């Protein structure tokens, strides 16, 4: 394991505002969203001189400031700073998500990929039905880049960046998407906190939260009910009881099942994994290689000191 030696960088005076989200690209640039609204593109390059610790010092220069996403702000509504940033795999796009009057506000920008290129505010996505919780670029070098946006009510939308519109998948699912997704996903109290994708399978991605994650395949039909893994998990059994209660309240007349309905019922798409809990981090670090970091509550309780006093009731 390589030792990490953090260094404090001297920023230009225009950038000396608290940062709310940071993201590096593979060209030595740091995308920094600030608390007052603007998004700074900083170029970090090694300097010729060394610092006092004997290491190589770095020089920071301001390449660009994005302010276009602030132009639709109204003085009568309350706005929050950018809380999530994401970069496309080819380095040509980046997206920023923030809250705005209880609705999600997501903006897409283009990055300069050569000396003659220029920065540009590409698109302001339409307002969502619920606040935005996470954003993720899908696709890559082979598949056209698209943007997935997760919301606090556990629905998600996929946008085609080239057409500046919803993708064919989202349009086929209908609006609002919440009605077309499995109830096991939309009824959960834990909102989707992250979207992770595997570069080897760009048509698949994972919706992650703190206590579960859901595997999505855009090439497979969306089932009416999601499968649970492991099926004998305590939380899966609780949900099964809810299913049985719903089935007794509404029992449709028996009829002949079509092949499409049978495929939806037997599909493993939107399978929800309950094996992990209190997930702090989840992402792919290489093709077909994912890392999950969890911190169970019992490990937190074990670190707490003994109680100063215990009150016994009913004695």
């Amino acid at each position: 394991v390589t030792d990490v030696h953090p260094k404090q960088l001297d920023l230009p005076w225009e950038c000396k505002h608290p940062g709310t989200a940071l993201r590096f690209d593979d060209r030595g640039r740091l995308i920094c969203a600030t608390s007052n609204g603007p998004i700074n593109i900083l170029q970090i390059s090694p300097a010729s001189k060394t610092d006092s610790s004997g290491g190589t010092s770095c020089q920071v220069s301001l390449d660009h400031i994005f302010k276009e996403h602030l132009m639709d702000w109204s003085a009568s509504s309350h706005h929050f700073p950018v809380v999530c940033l994401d970069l496309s795999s080819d380095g040509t796009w980046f997206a920023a998500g923030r809250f705005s009057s209880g609705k999600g506000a997501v903006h897409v920008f283009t990055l300069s990929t050569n000396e003659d290129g220029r920065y540009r505010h590409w698109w302001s996505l339409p307002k969502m039905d619920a606040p935005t919780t996470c954003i993720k670029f899908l696709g890559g070098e082979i598949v056209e880049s698209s943007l997935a946006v997760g919301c606090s009510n556990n629905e998600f939308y996929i946008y085609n960046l080239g057409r500046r519109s919803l993708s064919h998948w989202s349009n086929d699912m209908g609006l609002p998407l919440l009605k077309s997704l499995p109830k096991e996903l939309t009824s959960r109290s834990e909102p989707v906190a992250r979207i992770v994708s595997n570069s080897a399978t760009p048509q698949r991605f994972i919706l992650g939260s703190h206590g579960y994650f859901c595997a999505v395949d855009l090439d497979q039909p969306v089932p009416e009910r999601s499968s649970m893994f492991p099926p004998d998990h305590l939380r899966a059994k609780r949900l099964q009881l809810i299913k049985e209660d719903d089935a007794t309240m509404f029992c449709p007349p028996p009829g002949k099942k079509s092949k499409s309905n049978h495929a939806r019922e037997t599909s493993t798409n939107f399978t929800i994994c309950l094996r992990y809990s209190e997930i702090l981090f989840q992402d792919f670090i290489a093709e077909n290689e994912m890392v999950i970091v969890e911190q169970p509550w019992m490990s937190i309780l074990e670190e707490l000191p003994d109680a100063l006093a215990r009150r016994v009731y009913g004695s």
Side-chain angles (χ1 to χ4, degrees):
V1 179
T2 304
D3 293 335
V4 178
H5 302 283
K7 296 181 180 180
Q8 184 175 356
L9 302 177
D10 293 329
L11 300 178
W13 66 271
E14 306 99 319
C15 307
K16 291 187 176 181
H17 294 280
T20 57
L22 301 173
R23 196 67 185 241
F24 282 98
D25 70 353
D26 57 358
R27 298 176 180 268
R29 290 177 297 195
L30 175 62
I31 303 172
C32 178
T34 59
S35 59
N36 62 333
I39 301 175
N40 300 322
I41 309 297
L42 304 175
Q43 182 69 48
I44 302 177
S45 56
S48 57
K49 61 180 181 179
T50 58
D51 55 17
S52 57
S53 61
T56 303
S57 61
C58 296
Q59 183 178 1
V60 182
S61 59
L62 179 62
D63 266 11
H64 187 77
I65 301 178
F66 281 109
K67 295 182 179 180
E68 294 87 347
H69 60 292
L70 309 177
M71 292 183 178
D72 59 344
W73 280 18
S74 60
S76 59
S77 61
H78 185 71
H79 297 273
F80 297 89
V82 171
V83 293
C84 50
L85 293 171
D86 193 55
L87 278 165
S88 62
S89 59
D90 57 3
T92 58
W93 306 92
F94 91 89
R98 62 178 174 85
F99 296 116
S100 175
S101 300
K103 299 288 185 178
V106 179
H107 300 267
V108 181
F109 307 85
T110 59
L111 289 173
S112 172
T113 56
N114 52 58
E115 295 181 357
D116 298 331
R118 63 191 183 95
Y119 299 98
R120 181 182 179 187
H121 178 262
W122 179 253
W123 187 27
S124 297
L125 271 63
K127 288 185 178 180
M128 314 293 170
D129 299 329
T132 303
T133 57
C134 52
I135 54 178
K136 182 67 178 179
F137 282 100
L138 307 177
E141 298 178 356
I142 302 177
V143 182
E144 184 181 9
S145 293
S146 57
L147 182 66
V149 180
C151 301
S152 61
N153 58 355
N154 286 343
E155 67 179 355
F156 63 92
Y157 293 93
I158 301 175
Y159 294 90
N160 184 287
L161 301 180
R163 299 196 311 266
R164 291 190 178 99
S165 64
L166 280 171
S167 67
H168 295 304
W169 187 90
S170 293
N171 279 321
D172 293 342
M173 291 294 294
L175 297 176
L177 186 63
L178 196 67
K179 298 180 180 180
S180 303
L181 296 177
K183 186 178 180 181
E184 289 79 4
L185 174 64
T186 58
S187 62
R188 306 194 73 85
S189 59
E190 303 169 83
V192 173
R194 65 187 67 86
I195 301 176
V196 298
S197 62
N198 184 5
S199 58
T201 54
Q203 78 280 5
R204 302 177 184 176
F205 58 90
I206 292 175
L207 303 172
S209 185
H210 299 289
Y212 71 94
F213 63 85
C214 178
V216 180
D217 189 341
L218 300 179
D219 290 342
Q220 298 296 323
V222 178
E224 294 182 359
R225 296 287 188 178
S226 291
S227 302
M228 297 292 167
F229 181 83
D232 57 347
H233 195 279
L234 179 60
R235 287 184 288 169
K237 292 180 179 179
R238 291 175 180 173
L239 195 58
Q240 183 64 30
L241 295 176
I242 298 176
K243 282 186 186 180
E244 295 174 356
D245 293 341
D246 292 343
T248 56
M249 293 178 60
F250 175 74
C251 184
K256 186 178 181 180
K257 294 183 179 180
S258 63
K259 292 183 178 179
S260 60
N261 289 336
H262 178 72
R264 292 184 63 183
E265 291 179 0
T266 58
S267 174
T268 58
N269 198 14
F270 281 84
T271 297
I272 296 177
C273 179
L274 303 173
R275 173 169 290 181
Y276 307 96
S277 60
E278 286 74 50
I279 300 175
L280 302 180
F281 175 83
Q282 179 182 8
D283 204 354
F284 284 91
I285 60 175
E287 290 188 359
N288 303 320
E289 188 175 351
M290 184 173 66
V291 171
I292 296 178
V293 180
E294 60 178 342
Q295 186 175 17
W297 280 112
M298 291 305 300
S299 64
I300 300 177
L301 293 176
E302 291 174 356
E303 299 295 331
L304 295 177
D306 295 334
L308 297 178
R310 294 181 183 273
R311 293 187 177 182
V312 180
Y313 296 92
S315 58

